[in-house]
Amino acid sequence: MKGGLDKVDTALAEVTRSVVQTEEMKAKVKAQTAQDIADDAQRDLDKALSALDTALASLRNLKKSDVIEVSAMQQPPPGMKMVIEAVCILKGVKPKKVAGEKLGSKVDDYREPGRGLLQDAGKYLDSLFEYGKDNIPDSVIKAIQPYIDNQAFQPAATAKVSKAYTSICQWVRAMHKYHFVAKVVEHKRRALKVAEEDLCGTQLVLEEAKACLKEVKDGMAVLQNKYRSCIAKKEELKCEQCQQRLIRADMLTNSLADEKFRWQDTVDSLDYKINNISGAMLVATGFVAYLGPSTGDYCVSLCKEWLRQLSENNVPHTQEPNLISTLGDPVEICSWKIAGLANDTLSVEIGVIAQFSQGWTLYIDPQGEANKWIKNLEKMNNLEVSKLSVRDFNSSLESAIIFGKPFLLENVSEELDLALEPILLEQTYKQQGNTVLKLGDTVIPYLETFKMYITTSLPNPHYRKQTVINFTLSPSGLEDQLLGEVVAAERPVLEEARNQLIVSNAEMRQELKEIEDQILSWLSTSEGNPIDDLELIKVLEASKVKAGEIQAKVKVAEQTEKDSSITHLQYVPVAVHSQILYFCVSDLSNVDPMYQYSLGWFLSIFLMGISNSDKSGILKEQILNINNCITFSLYSNVCRSLFEKHTFLVCVQILMNDGQIDMDKWRYLLSGGVIKEMENPAPAWLYERVWGDILALSSLKNFSSFANDFVDNLEEFRAILDSPNPHRQVAPLPGKWEAELDAFQKLLVLRCLRGDKITNAGQDFVVLRLGWRFIEPQTTDLSDTFKESTATPLMFVLSPGTDPAANLYMFAEEMKFSQKLSAISLSQGQGPRAEAMIHSAMEQGNWVFFQNCYLAPSWMPSLERLMEGINPSQVHQDFCLWLTSLLSNHFPVSILQNSFKMTMEPPCGVKANLLKSYTSFSDDFLNSCPRVTEIKSLLLSLCFFHENILERRKFGLGFNIPYEFTDGDLCICQLQMFLSEYADIPCKVLKYTAGELNYGSRVSDNWDQRCIMSILEDFYTPEVLTPEFAYSESGIYRQISTNSDLDGYLQYIRSLPLNGSPEIFGLHNNASITFAQNESFALLGTIVQLQHKTLTVGGRSREELVKETARDFLEKVPATMNLQEVIHKSPLLYEESMNTVLVPEVIRYKLLEAVAQTLKDLLKALKGLVVMSSQLELVASSLYNDTVPEVWNAKAYPSLKPLASWVNDLLQRIEFLKDWINHGIPSVFWIHGVFFPQDFLTGTLQNFARKSVISVDTTSFSFKVMKESVGELPSPPSEGCYIHGLSLEGACWDPVVFQLAELRPKELYPEIAVIWLLPVPHGMPPASGSYLCPIYKTLTRAISS
């Protein structure tokens, strides 16, 4: 201690002494410099002062008389004159201008001014003594310089003239010399002054240093004395200090005891992570870079593949590397969950991806969950929320950027505004030291705290340059959300306590982490020995106590949370079931864009179902009651907004997502399977299509022996095939199949045998699994719907021919709102008026009715903006908005999702349509015509005709073109008018006005016009006036007594069957089979649209099934035929036009190249070798769903076959062509195998025309049905050609009587015998004995002709 003090004090003294010596040397040098300057200046000054003193001494010797003498001279000599002039110049006396020697010139004359100076001799001399020699101007010196330089201006020269002038001359010259010396001396005087001042300062510093040195020496003496006393005291305190250190060390050890274990675990964990950081970071980077837009299932599968690759390539990685463990912060994740982020892994991964993504992220957010989370997360940071459609969008965005606030841009479309590009690309730069950004034409300050979030409600958008994150609600995320809702509804106290626990746990964990971080911070920043830092030890002790309290609370909270979670787990079945229901409903938008339902709407149904469920004290029963109530409540509400043909889809989706349908067999039910080759065991009654479906069914796992068993039990299966109700067959399935198959598997058998009953059987299956109420139609009650609505719109989704206006006006009258209802039919230019109506209605509490919204697609975004801006708390409680629209792709999704939708469909069936027509009549109208009997009979007949026209199209035998006939075509006023004006029944007039004008005005096809007029013949005929006239063979549809009033007619109509039989339409009973088949397969085709692309069938993924199908087809498809070889074998000949037909046919089958190339590209895309384009994606979907890809259809012949049958048909067509090429023109042409039949028919006529040497335009065909079969006609005819392969619809060919006949039961499209197409010149159809029948390529008739 002493040595330390001595060293410090001695060093301080030495430093002070050195400073003093340095300052002394500086002072000496500066003093010498100042003295040298002063001496030099004095030497110069002495030289001037010597001359000055001599001049002044001479002036002192002058007497006044000497001066007076000089002044008395009238003509002084030249030397004296010069002296006077020089004095005047020095004195600043101006000369007088006098005439010069030259005429007109002026010269300076100093005589008079000089005499003026000499008037007072004493004063004159005094002025010379007092002259300011130090301030003579340079101009004056310059002026007297000529005098100084003049040899005559010398004291010696003037001494001869006057003593006074000699002295004055010396004075003038002395002043001149002094001026120049004084200028030099002045600079030296200034330098001297500076040197003296510097010297003075140095001396002051020197004195201070000396004083300091003295103070240091005195202090050293004092310290020495203190040191000696401290040494003595040190010995006394040494033992006490050791004891205190030991106490503090013990305190420090205890405070950090728990930290030791945590630090050890942390170090071990960090060592492990560091050693495996490469693999973990690779996986995390892959997540952030690539998996933002992906679905959860795809992320999991890709992550597994990455881990496999890491292991194969020996890349070090943690046991299960994942994004959350690598980049996630547990405390921050907890804060996200508090803000509303779902608790499932996928949602947390999305949050981490968003945190580390480059640029501003765009969230795919169809359910609005990202919006809600972001708003809660940034609520405390003054989040700005706006949309591109909002008027003040730009100002809100600028404000957020300038003030560095977070900004949420909601509901963007696929095309982002170009004005956002500088922000999205963060195109900032420095300007005058500040970061700025150019937004439009304005440069604004850019704060680094600015954040931007972008969301879109589109479910599957396409963006090119934007960082996209898929925030679509996942099943697990929705399940967690619904679990919280159901527990909150059933156990509100428990759920509230749980929520508080979650928040408090998060807060305590955050606080605990902060304390642990502070401890490390204090220890790392502490200086010296920590044992001696009392403040540090006190802080650590307090932190230890606080941490202990928090840990204890956390343990209690965790235990409480576990207890709460046990209760939550009991309600998991409700959450699981309900999330399945939600995704069932959300998938309906794939069927029709108007089927949109928001998550908020679903949650309201969910909570309503919980509250309305039957209560039970047994938890399992209560959960079952809740599930049943939610399911039916959702079904009822959804079906209210679905068209009737789609209500069955909801039940199917519920069963499928509930795991009650085997997906392998489900795929077969929807799209069939691969057809095997096997001979038809009963061609007489077993149709090829049915046999093909049976063979395809046999490819399924549980049906491998079905085809063989079918052959062994033909009669038993035929009974099912011929049964009127095979779906409710009492007799069991033959063989082992009744016992081995469940209810759903039996549907597959029914699909093979009687596809027309699939819809009915499906309804029975729903009843079996869900109950009767799930197939009963759900009626729409405006009163109930209105009660459920709030400020959201009520929307009527229309089908052609419906108008809800009358019902709404009646409801408004019932609600006393008829005077407060404003209606407008939207169209171009009506937007501003409609907007004004909404604003007025919201303030006054009126109703607004917007009709035909689909006619104003450009105004729909404005309507969407108005709806989103509605604040229920600021809108009149009576306000209500009603909308109507046909199906439209342009209708805003947000309005569809949040509106209460109701579908409006026209009546279905003869009975319903007749009721609708007759309820619009009155007895007054029936009795208003003078011919009451006739008008009643003809009116019923006309209404039957009207319903016939409306309903025929559903049978597939209606018209070539589907016309949208409406009630407006039923013009009863014409009937009344003509009956009143004509004495006889004007049947021709009535037929013409109805058939050609009212209904015929819509008809554009001649065959359809013929059909309408033929049907009208059965209804507008005099026979209908007889009371016993029947419109059908059964007599169900008949005339009734004309004595009946309107109620009598309504009573008769209500007695008719609900579903009209084909007989009223003049059709065979088989027509109902066609209708049922079309309905069934349309339903199955619609269900196909609901299938997920990630569906797994029979343990194989969708991708694997597509690969297998593509490879199978690629192996089957033959190579393109060699065109040159075809031309060589079938050269173009004048006398044989069939060769001309053959070459284009071969060229058209370049379709094979397109098919093969598409399949090859698809297989490459599935392997990842090429990009999976949107076209290839559509091809993959078509292969999976057993439909022909559109890219093939565009190059192919018209066909309605499913994919498997289409491929087989293609192969048969190629085989037909090859046979034609290799063996020459066939004896009988397979007309179905010709790509372009028009060419073929023209070629046949051309052969005849060239042979007969007539114009081909004058030829036509006559037709002869042959008795011989194809095999019995070995050679072609001499004229024309034989064809086979045509099928009949609505009739069959009777080979016995050799004419058209009625269809046999269950026979739909029988093939006609071989037809001889015989060209004839100037051919005309026979006047009788034949039926002029059109031919079409497919069942879609004129659309594909």
Side-chain angles (χ1 to χ4, degrees), residues 1138 1216 1225-1232 1234 1240-1241 1244 1261-1286 1313-1319:
M1138 286 296 106
F1216 166 70
I1225 298 172
S1227 57
V1228 181
F1229 285 91
W1230 181 38
I1231 189 67
H1232 179 72
V1234 179
F1240 168 76
L1241 298 175
T1244 303
F1261 284 113
S1262 68
F1263 307 95
K1264 181 180 180 182
V1265 182
M1266 307 298 293
K1267 295 181 179 180
E1268 296 86 353
S1269 65
V1270 175
E1272 295 171 344
L1273 296 169
S1275 60
S1278 57
E1279 302 289 346
C1281 65
Y1282 298 131
I1283 64 169
H1284 75 99
L1286 289 179
V1314 175
I1315 298 177
W1316 181 9
L1317 303 182
L1318 181 61

Side-chain angles (χ1 to χ4, degrees), residues 289-308:
Y290 302 113
L291 299 186
S294 304
T295 60
D297 293 338
Y298 181 74
C299 290
V300 171
S301 62
L302 192 58
C303 186
K304 289 180 179 178
E305 176 62 21
W306 287 346
L307 293 181
R308 187 183 65 79

Side-chain angles (χ1 to χ4, degrees), residues 261-526:
F261 300 107
R262 187 177 69 83
W263 291 342
Q264 186 62 49
D265 292 341
T266 302
V267 169
D268 294 340
S269 176
L270 289 175
D271 287 341
Y272 175 70
K273 289 181 179 179
I274 289 172
N275 293 333
N276 298 281
I277 193 170
S278 55
M281 287 305 298
L282 191 60
V283 171
T285 305
F287 260 95
V288 175
Y290 302 113
L291 299 186
S294 304
T295 60
D297 293 338
Y298 181 74
C299 290
V300 171
S301 62
L302 192 58
C303 186
K304 289 180 179 178
E305 176 62 21
W306 287 346
L307 293 181
R308 187 183 65 79
Q309 294 284 351
L310 291 177
S311 300
E312 287 182 359
N313 292 280
N314 297 321
V315 178
H317 59 86
T318 54
Q319 186 174 1
E320 292 184 0
N322 59 74
L323 180 65
I324 299 174
S325 62
T326 304
L327 297 179
D329 182 354
V331 175
E332 189 166 13
I333 290 172
C334 201
S335 68
W336 294 346
K337 293 177 181 178
I338 293 173
L341 185 68
N343 197 30
D344 62 301
T345 302
L346 178 61
S347 299
V348 177
E349 286 176 346
I350 288 173
V352 178
I353 292 173
Q355 181 184 11
F356 288 95
S357 293
Q358 293 183 345
W360 306 124
T361 304
L362 191 151
Y363 295 87
I364 300 174
D365 185 31
Q367 291 87 17
E369 291 298 291
N371 260 19
K372 184 171 67 174
W373 175 56
I374 293 168
K375 288 176 181 178
N376 291 335
L377 191 65
E378 299 288 356
K379 185 177 182 180
M380 302 302 294
N381 298 326
N382 299 320
L383 175 70
E384 290 272 355
V385 183
S386 187
K387 300 181 181 68
L388 288 172
S389 58
V390 176
R391 291 188 179 93
D392 62 344
F393 165 73
N394 287 332
S395 59
S396 299
L397 181 57
E398 284 186 18
S399 173
I401 295 173
I402 292 172
F403 295 104
K405 296 186 292 184
F407 184 84
L408 172 59
L409 177 58
E410 297 180 308
N411 295 345
V412 298
S413 63
E414 286 192 332
E415 297 295 330
L416 294 178
D417 195 333
L418 290 177
L420 296 174
E421 189 167 322
I423 303 172
L424 299 178
L425 299 179
E426 298 186 69
Q427 295 176 342
T428 59
Y429 58 95
K430 291 289 185 179
Q431 187 179 78
Q432 297 179 352
N434 298 321
T435 303
V436 296
L437 179 138
K438 188 173 183 181
L439 188 62
D441 295 329
T442 308
V443 177
I444 59 175
Y446 184 93
L447 262 66
E448 297 298 333
T449 53
F450 168 75
K451 296 180 183 177
M452 188 172 190
Y453 302 92
I454 308 174
T455 63
T456 178
S457 58
L458 301 175
N460 189 24
H462 296 274
Y463 297 98
R464 293 183 179 179
K465 299 180 180 180
Q466 192 61 36
T467 302
V468 177
I469 288 182
N470 189 359
F471 214 92
T472 303
L473 191 62
S474 64
S476 57
L478 179 58
E479 183 181 317
D480 182 69
Q481 185 175 347
L482 295 177
L483 183 60
E485 294 287 349
V486 68
V487 175
E490 291 290 298
R491 305 281 184 89
V493 177
L494 180 65
E495 181 64 12
E496 184 179 356
R498 181 175 178 269
N499 290 333
Q500 290 177 352
L501 276 177
I502 293 174
V503 174
S504 62
N505 274 352
E507 292 174 350
M508 287 188 293
R509 290 179 184 278
Q510 175 68 26
E511 190 175 357
L512 190 61
K513 185 177 183 302
E514 290 175 355
I515 290 174
E516 292 170 349
D517 292 342
Q518 286 175 0
I519 291 174
L520 286 175
S521 176
W522 288 326
L523 289 174
S524 62
T525 57
S526 175

Side-chain angles (χ1 to χ4, degrees), residues 1050-1071:
L1050 290 174
Q1051 185 176 356
Y1052 162 68
I1053 293 170
R1054 292 190 179 99
S1055 69
L1056 295 175
L1058 180 63
N1059 296 315
S1061 61
E1063 63 174 353
I1064 185 59
F1065 305 102
L1067 302 176
H1068 192 275
N1069 284 335
N1070 286 358

